[in-house]
Amino acid sequence: MKRPPLSLYIHIPWCVRKCPYCDFNSHAAKQPLPEQEYVNALREDLANELRLLDEPSSLHSIFIGGGTPSLFSAESIAAILEDVDRQMGIASTTEVTLEANPGTFEQERFKGFKKAGVNRLSIGIQSFNDLHLQRLGRIHSSDNAINAATHARTIFDNINLDLMHGLPEQTTDQALADLEQAIALEPDHLSWYQLTLEPNTEFHARPPTLPLDEALWEIQECGQALLAKSGYQQYEISAYARANKLSQHNVNYWQFGDYLGIGAGAHGKVTQASTQGLSISRHNKARQPKAYLNPMTRIAERTQVETSDLAFEFMLNTLRLHEGVPTQLLLERTGLSLDTLEPRLKMAQAKGLLHPYETRLKPTQQGRLFLNDLLEMFL
């Protein structure tokens, strides 16, 4: 068995304030944060997760997300990474990403995060328009955002900016102005995605007025052209990167790689060899920080992925990539042969949603536009 690459996701669930659009597992922070207790819990959690592996695996990438991980001190982030290095080993080439907010408080910690071992910073900008930031419930200003990106550039060689479009009452010109400002800051990577109203959020309960579909389509088309002209390759639905600056962690997700998840609400996926072929398990941790900190209630669920679901799960991830994946990856990552999917692949190709698939599983432009229709063929 050729093992998939193994990544590590570390979730820090606290943020200053819950944003009305956010459906991530985040909780408004009450001071003081239980940093040391949480670091200890992460150490125990990782040790337990490593017991799931039938053999040691080198670490492909690390992503510390949230919430707002930059609320933790640089010393706590260093302690977390030191323990990961002790238990798994972090190579000099391992991508280590930390999510950060652009507030002045977090900016003061950037140098400490770099010293701790973070080599890629992802800054949650969302917009450079103060009115839109206010409507999104963000606590930073446009000036904070520009200063944070500028300051980060002097410290990190690899920076991502998160930016949203399709915001409440946003015009096409305003959306493109946000994108132009982001590009002017010269990040290595841009995550540029459309705001959606997710269940169990304030925006879903009380929907704001969003741009009409025609305006959203215009924003998408003009924005993609602007990004391409500025040297950013779109390699996934909402991911754009300069040459050799793709997010290695996210690409591993999309290529159906493996990952351990530690922290409140974290999810993981592990592939093992079995007498029947490949066995894929998923696990997730308790969402509430209090429950996670208790070893007795930390693990929420462990499940085996049914063989009947593997094709859909594989396609759900890999067909997000504009270039798709080599055909042999289907067998390597799921144990399924191409023959088992032949009727559905032929149908997808006949409908113009999939390129000829002898050597590569790659969506056509039409397939990217109607990705849900393409994916439904593999349910």
Side-chain angles (χ1 to χ4, degrees):
M1 167 188 168
K2 183 179 179 182
R3 295 199 63 86
L6 180 68
S7 294
L8 174 65
Y9 177 75
I10 304 169
H11 192 77
I12 296 177
W14 292 282
C15 53
V16 175
R17 182 172 67 192
K18 181 82 170 179
C19 296
Y21 60 86
C22 178
D23 70 334
F24 294 157
N25 185 40
S26 57
H27 305 267
K30 295 179 182 179
Q31 298 297 337
L33 289 175
E35 287 193 37
Q36 187 58 58
E37 188 180 1
Y38 198 77
V39 170
N40 292 340
L42 291 173
R43 181 182 301 116
E44 295 169 3
D45 195 1
L46 180 59
N48 287 331
E49 290 304 300
L50 290 175
R51 295 190 182 101
L52 295 176
L53 305 180
D54 52 14
E55 60 183 65
S57 245
S58 59
L59 195 53
H60 177 76
S61 61
I62 301 170
F63 195 102
I64 307 173
T68 307
S70 54
L71 290 180
F72 268 29
S73 67
E75 290 76 16
S76 289
I77 298 300
I80 292 167
L81 292 175
E82 284 167 8
D83 185 68
V84 173
D85 187 35
R86 181 182 62 81
Q87 295 199 56
M88 300 186 73
I90 302 175
S92 60
T93 55
T94 302
E95 179 189 87
V96 182
T97 302
L98 176 85
E99 287 185 332
N101 266 0
T104 304
F105 173 71
E106 286 92 340
Q107 288 180 47
E108 293 173 355
R109 299 180 168 188
F110 286 1
K111 283 186 179 179
F113 295 146
K114 176 70 179 296
K115 186 178 178 181
V118 174
N119 54 35
R120 182 176 183 269
L121 196 71
S122 180
I123 307 175
I125 302 289
Q126 314 315 350
S127 176
F128 292 97
N129 182 304
D130 284 328
L131 178 59
H132 290 143
L133 287 171
Q134 184 179 4
R135 287 173 177 163
L136 290 172
R138 304 294 288 173
I139 60 172
H140 67 269
S141 67
S142 174
D143 285 345
N144 288 154
I146 292 170
N147 291 339
T150 303
H151 181 51
R153 181 82 283 171
T154 67
I155 299 169
F156 292 92
D157 296 327
N158 198 350
I159 297 169
N160 170 67
L161 301 183
D162 270 359
L163 200 67
M164 292 197 296
H165 61 87
L167 306 181
E169 301 180 33
Q170 185 182 48
T171 66
T172 300
D173 286 346
Q174 288 171 334
L176 295 177
D178 270 353
L179 197 52
E180 287 169 352
Q181 176 61 80
I183 292 169
L185 292 167
E186 300 186 334
D188 305 281
H189 190 285
L190 270 164
S191 297
W192 187 59
Y193 51 95
Q194 183 182 323
L195 170 66
T196 55
L197 304 185
E198 301 292 347
N200 303 315
T201 64
E202 186 180 327
F203 271 5
H204 191 268
R206 290 181 290 278
T209 302
L210 300 181
L212 298 175
D213 287 345
E214 293 82 357
L216 292 172
W217 183 256
E218 184 180 13
I219 290 169
Q220 191 74 38
E221 279 199 320
C222 294
Q224 287 176 342
L226 175 60
L227 284 159
K229 180 183 176 183
S230 304
Y232 291 89
Q233 169 201 356
Q234 184 179 14
Y235 66 97
E236 188 267 345
I237 292 171
S238 57
Y240 303 78
R242 287 177 162 175
N244 302 316
K245 293 293 186 177
L246 280 64
S247 167
Q248 297 306 308
H249 188 84
N250 287 339
V251 167
N252 191 36
Y253 285 159
W254 297 323
Q255 291 182 343
F256 213 52
D258 280 353
Y259 49 97
L260 301 178
I262 61 173
H267 291 249
K269 166 188 172 283
V270 173
T271 306
Q272 308 278 34
S274 73
T275 53
Q276 288 78 34
L278 297 183
S279 171
I280 296 176
S281 62
R282 291 194 178 278
H283 62 263
N284 58 284
K285 306 299 168 58
R287 290 175 58 85
Q288 291 295 328
K290 185 176 180 180
Y292 176 78
L293 289 170
N294 182 347
M296 303 301 293
T297 55
R298 181 170 297 151
I299 297 171
E301 187 179 27
R302 293 202 192 279
T303 57
Q304 292 294 124
V305 179
E306 298 290 338
T307 303
S308 57
D309 294 330
L310 279 176
F312 175 71
E313 289 213 14
F314 179 82
M315 296 298 183
L316 180 66
N317 287 276
T318 57
L319 293 182
R320 292 178 63 95
L321 294 166
H322 274 213
E323 293 302 314
V325 293
T327 302
Q328 75 264 18
L329 203 67
L330 175 68
L331 179 63
E332 290 177 10
R333 300 288 159 90
T334 68
L336 299 174
S337 71
L338 199 64
D339 294 343
T340 60
L341 301 183
E342 192 81 23
R344 287 178 276 184
L345 292 168
K346 280 185 176 178
M347 185 187 301
Q349 186 179 335
K351 290 189 175 186
L353 302 177
L354 196 70
H355 283 290
Y357 50 84
E358 286 74 20
T359 61
R360 197 163 194 85
L361 297 167
K362 178 181 176 181
T364 62
Q365 183 177 5
Q366 190 80 350
R368 293 197 299 269
L369 291 174
F370 298 97
L371 184 59
N372 286 342
D373 294 340
L374 174 56
L375 293 174
E376 281 178 7
M377 295 181 182
F378 299 96
L379 277 171

